[in-house]
Amino acid sequence: MLLAGVALPFLGELVALVVTSVVIAYLCYQIRLVPIVGFLLAGVLIGPGVLGLVRNETLIQNTAEIGVILLLFTIGIEFKLDQLRRIWRELLLGGGLQVGLTTLIVLGLSLALGIDVRAALFTGFLVALSSTAIVLSVLSDRQETDMVVGRLAVAMLIFQDLAIVAMVLLVPVLGGGHGSALETLRALGEALLVVGGVLVLARRIVPWLLERIAHTRRHELFLLTVVAICFGTAWVTSLFGVSLALGAFLAGLVVSESTYSEYALSEILPLKALFNAVFFVSVGLLLDVSFVLARPLLVVGIVLGVLLVKVLATAAATRLLGYPIRVALALGLTLAQIGEFSFVLAQAGRDVGLTPAGMGEAGTQGLLAATVLLMAATPFLMALGRRLNAQLLRRESAAPEAPSEKASLEDHVIVVGYGPAGQRLVRVLRETGIPFIVIELNPHTIRAARAEGIPILYGDASRRHILEHAAIERAKVCVVAINDEAATRRIVELARFLNPTLQIIVRTRFLRDVEPLQRAGADIVVPEELETSVRIFTQVLQAYFVPEDEIQRQVAAIRSGDYRIFRGSIQEAHLMVLQGLDEEGLHTRAVVVREGAPVAGKTLAELNLRQRYGLTVLAVRRGNRTIGSPAGDFRIEPGDRLVLIGLADQFARCADLFRPPRPPVDEA
């Protein structure tokens, strides 16, 4: 039992930190501002220089360190070694040029100002690093990781994260400490061996371990294992001179090679959200506001100097790779900030007497102030780069960038559950050419499906990240065919919120579940066990506009033949479905207008769907009536079913119009 008089150390400061993060995140959501900017400003507000709610330096440093570890771990999970191999040229050549040019420019300018060569080179190292956490967070939120600028940013950021190993090892030499060139080379060799050893685990031990844990079907055990891999790998690598942050990134790469990487990411995301906020708040806490007020010209000068150097060096490196100037400038603005690894390097420099530009505490505070300001400006700089890229692209009259790999999945069916009903449906979809992806939690089923070449994703479909990975925003149909009633309802609620234009078909065992599932957002609930396969099959074909008489004829044949079409040859079904795979069948959706959706109560003229979103209203179903080609003064009411035609991306853009205001409780 805890004694009444015993209090947790730092509890008040932790409460201030977390509560402020919640308030700031909410305000950022209301004004559509990237939360990272708010977290940085919140840290400045509650720090020693303003309100003084958080003063303990140990707390600040420790929370920041944990935040970096979890951030870089999740970033590592999102990458694959195969992806790194595909961008090796941009990673090695582009990243090397970017870091090298930035360091050389800062070195030259510093020497011209009379700064000692060792301090000048150390400053070049600090400026060369950009913020992996912020850049990838913004790219991920905007789904631009696979675009040209996104891929180049990822490659250069990874090179920077690897370069920090060499930089940390070189700092003692620059500081005139005990490290000699030979000792540095030996330490670098050991670090590279450690990195290589960690990557070997990615192919050997960790996938095997995660599979054993996944077989237990225990979420809490899987989460604990993932956290243990994260912090354990970071700790082991730190023993050999590799930074904790880079060790965490390598741990993420290890997990990314497992079949269960997406599931691991979905489980760790709630922790990431917490420490993401804590990290950026802690960065803001480090800022000495009194220093900024006392020396504003120095801070502004450092900010403008870093911005100019980073944009020029990154743009030059990008041009040397052969990319157009529009991409080079956009990438330069994307990587124009100073990164979180610079804090690691700055601490290593302080230990051996090195400070930015050799200016002592003034240099440290000046660089810190510039770092906070540039981090806060990053979302706006990236938006500026995006607009600049688009304007120059229009001037070139060139074709738009190729879509990402994820973007190729559209107007597809998401099948949740790969049991008997899901397998029969997938067989029909696969043979008839309708695009689909399966979400499943059974490891044995996953392995068997992958062996057959089925596109299947391991994860919990009630988690937002898993559904987003299945491109739910561009999906046309979602079929939920699992036996867990509570999970089914959560999936339906979340799927309906993420894609209000989605058609959701649910399998359930009992009639009593029909009404609750329909209230949760299901369009069609199939309760009868015997008819599940036939009804789901029928509804999917109707979604693709296969003629009704043809569907009924085939359903009768299925029933009379003891469901033989689902068990054996499906050639006839293949021919039937192909009739509905034209442009109209693929791109037409029937969307229900739900109570509270912004579209309710407005006329078609007010919505102007064709001009704003490229969507055309073909008909409206109201009760038992069908209104074909409704006029502009037609007013939409809750319960109407609109038949719309358009592309998947156009439906995704208009989602807010059909989304009721209340989000599902669990969006993790």
Side-chain angles (χ1 to χ4, degrees):
M1 177 180 292
L2 293 175
L3 296 177
V6 177
L8 291 174
F10 318 140
L11 181 59
E13 292 175 301
L14 277 174
V15 170
L17 192 150
V18 175
V19 170
T20 305
S21 300
V22 172
V23 174
I24 291 296
Y26 176 77
L27 292 176
C28 289
Y29 174 79
Q30 292 296 324
I31 64 176
R32 298 181 181 276
L33 182 67
V34 179
I36 290 173
V37 178
F39 293 146
L40 289 168
L41 297 178
V44 175
L45 181 65
I46 66 177
V50 183
L51 298 180
L53 298 179
V54 179
R55 295 179 176 274
N56 190 284
E57 293 185 5
T58 303
L59 173 66
I60 295 172
Q61 293 175 357
N62 290 343
T63 52
E65 192 72 33
I66 294 174
V68 169
I69 289 173
L70 282 172
L71 283 174
L72 271 296
F73 178 67
T74 54
I75 290 168
I77 292 180
E78 292 174 324
F79 290 109
K80 309 289 183 185
L81 292 178
D82 289 339
Q83 289 177 311
L84 298 185
R85 281 193 289 268
R86 285 198 298 269
I87 59 173
W88 69 268
R89 179 174 174 270
E90 289 81 1
L91 194 156
L92 295 178
L93 184 58
L97 285 170
Q98 188 272 334
V99 171
L101 288 174
T102 305
T103 303
L104 287 175
I105 292 174
V106 174
L107 176 63
L109 292 174
S110 300
L111 292 176
L113 294 173
I115 298 172
D116 178 73
V117 64
R118 295 179 299 173
L121 185 57
F122 175 67
T123 306
F125 288 166
L126 293 173
V127 175
L129 302 175
S130 303
S131 176
T132 303
I134 290 182
V135 172
L136 291 187
S137 177
V138 176
L139 288 175
S140 178
D141 288 344
R142 297 182 177 275
Q143 297 183 350
E144 295 176 355
T145 308
D146 288 333
M147 301 299 282
V148 172
V149 173
R151 289 197 301 270
L152 287 168
V154 167
M156 292 186 182
L157 287 169
I158 292 175
F159 182 89
Q160 292 176 12
D161 296 345
L162 295 173
I164 187 68
V165 178
M167 292 178 181
V168 169
L169 294 174
L170 286 173
V171 163
V173 178
L174 294 177
H178 299 294
S180 65
L182 184 59
E183 291 173 341
T184 301
L185 289 175
R186 185 173 66 249
L188 180 59
E190 291 177 354
L192 292 175
L193 286 176
V194 171
V195 171
V198 168
L199 296 181
V200 168
L201 293 177
R203 299 289 188 184
R204 304 291 181 184
I205 299 176
V206 171
W208 173 86
L209 173 63
L210 290 179
E211 184 168 354
R212 300 281 79 72
I213 298 297
H215 284 170
T216 66
R217 308 291 291 274
R218 304 294 300 182
H219 292 284
E220 65 277 9
L221 181 58
F222 193 92
L223 175 61
L224 285 173
T225 304
V226 170
V227 172
I229 292 172
C230 169
F231 286 95
T233 306
W235 176 70
V236 169
T237 55
S238 69
L239 297 178
F240 293 89
V242 179
S243 71
L244 283 170
L246 183 57
F249 176 77
L250 294 175
L253 273 183
V254 167
V255 175
S256 75
E257 289 301 294
S258 167
T259 305
Y260 312 106
S261 59
E262 293 301 331
Y263 181 50
L265 185 57
S266 70
E267 292 294 300
I268 205 76
L269 277 179
L271 287 178
K272 177 198 173 184
L274 170 63
F275 285 100
N276 192 358
V278 169
F279 167 68
F280 289 110
V281 171
S282 66
V283 172
L285 288 169
L286 297 172
L287 180 64
D288 186 350
V289 178
S290 61
F291 177 85
V292 177
L293 295 177
R295 302 188 180 184
L297 293 180
L298 174 63
V299 173
V300 172
I302 295 174
V303 169
L304 294 178
V306 170
L307 182 62
L308 182 62
V309 169
K310 294 293 288 286
V311 171
L312 290 178
T314 305
T318 309
R319 288 291 289 149
L320 289 172
L321 287 175
Y323 288 89
I325 186 65
R326 58 182 176 83
V327 173
L329 291 175
L331 184 61
L333 290 168
T334 297
L335 302 181
Q337 71 293 130
I338 299 174
E340 52 276 349
F341 278 170
S342 294
F343 295 118
V344 178
L345 193 60
Q347 180 61 53
R350 279 197 297 271
D351 293 341
V352 295
L354 287 175
T355 57
M359 295 174 61
E361 186 61 25
T364 300
Q365 284 298 324
L367 189 71
L368 179 60
T371 300
V372 173
L373 293 174
L374 286 171
M375 280 185 170
T378 294
F380 307 104
L381 292 174
M382 292 176 69
L384 175 62
R386 195 180 304 109
R387 289 195 296 270
L388 186 61
N389 187 6
Q391 290 175 0
L392 293 176
L393 181 62
R394 283 195 294 270
R395 290 183 183 179
E396 295 172 4
S397 299
E401 293 182 17
S404 65
E405 294 177 7
K406 182 182 174 183
S408 64
L409 195 61
E410 60 182 27
D411 288 318
H412 56 290
V413 181
I414 297 176
V415 181
V416 180
Y418 198 56
Q423 291 174 22
R424 287 190 289 266
L425 174 60
V426 163
R427 189 180 303 169
V428 173
L429 297 175
R430 193 180 190 188
E431 292 295 328
T432 53
I434 294 176
F436 70 93
I437 186 170
V438 181
I439 301 176
E440 175 58 54
L441 261 173
N442 188 316
H444 297 289
T445 304
I446 292 278
R447 189 163 53 248
R450 288 184 183 274
E452 296 178 14
I454 301 293
I456 190 165
L457 176 64
Y458 182 90
D460 183 352
S462 65
R463 297 298 181 96
R464 180 171 187 158
H465 171 78
I466 296 298
L467 287 179
E468 288 179 340
H469 192 74
I472 191 170
E473 72 278 3
R474 294 191 296 273
K476 178 172 181 174
V477 180
C478 178
V479 177
V480 185
I482 60 177
N483 294 324
D484 189 330
E485 297 175 21
T488 296
R489 183 165 182 170
R490 291 197 304 271
I491 293 167
V492 170
E493 289 178 341
L494 183 56
R496 174 60 61 206
F497 177 76
L498 294 176
N499 185 352
T501 69
L502 186 72
Q503 185 172 6
I504 302 176
I505 305 169
V506 180
R507 170 205 175 196
T508 183
R509 289 182 178 274
F510 307 108
L511 285 170
R512 66 170 182 263
D513 296 327
V514 173
E515 188 175 346
L517 287 170
Q518 288 176 336
R519 286 199 304 267
D523 294 290
I524 299 162
V525 182
V526 184
E528 296 88 4
E529 179 94 358
L530 217 71
E531 286 288 289
T532 296
S533 299
V534 174
R535 289 288 303 277
I536 289 178
F537 173 64
T538 301
Q539 297 298 336
V540 170
L541 296 186
Q542 286 176 345
Y544 286 87
F545 282 71
V546 175
E548 187 66 28
D549 58 341
E550 195 68 18
I551 294 176
Q552 294 303 322
R553 186 175 68 83
Q554 292 299 327
V555 167
I558 291 169
R559 289 172 176 155
S560 64
D562 191 26
Y563 303 92
R564 194 166 49 245
I565 194 170
F566 285 115
R567 298 194 315 244
S569 172
I570 55 173
Q571 180 64 26
E572 190 173 0
H574 174 79
L575 295 174
M576 178 180 65
V577 175
L578 285 180
Q579 298 175 21
L581 291 181
D582 54 11
E583 286 298 308
E584 183 178 350
L586 284 173
H587 302 310
T588 306
R589 300 188 189 182
V591 182
V592 175
V593 178
R594 302 183 185 276
E595 193 73 41
V599 73
K602 291 186 170 57
T603 65
L604 292 178
E606 290 172 336
L607 292 171
N608 198 13
L609 294 174
R610 180 176 296 181
Q611 295 299 322
R612 292 180 181 176
Y613 302 101
L615 298 173
T616 301
V617 181
L618 300 179
V620 177
R621 181 74 175 175
R622 177 174 292 173
N624 295 324
R625 293 189 303 132
T626 298
I627 301 98
S629 301
D633 60 354
F634 182 86
R635 191 171 299 277
I636 296 173
E637 299 177 0
D640 287 349
R641 185 181 291 268
L642 276 61
V643 181
L644 302 167
I645 186 167
L647 300 177
D649 286 339
Q650 294 166 340
F651 280 106
R653 287 201 300 273
C654 79
D656 285 340
L657 291 178
F658 296 93
R659 181 177 288 126
R662 183 179 62 84
V665 175
D666 182 11
E667 289 190 61

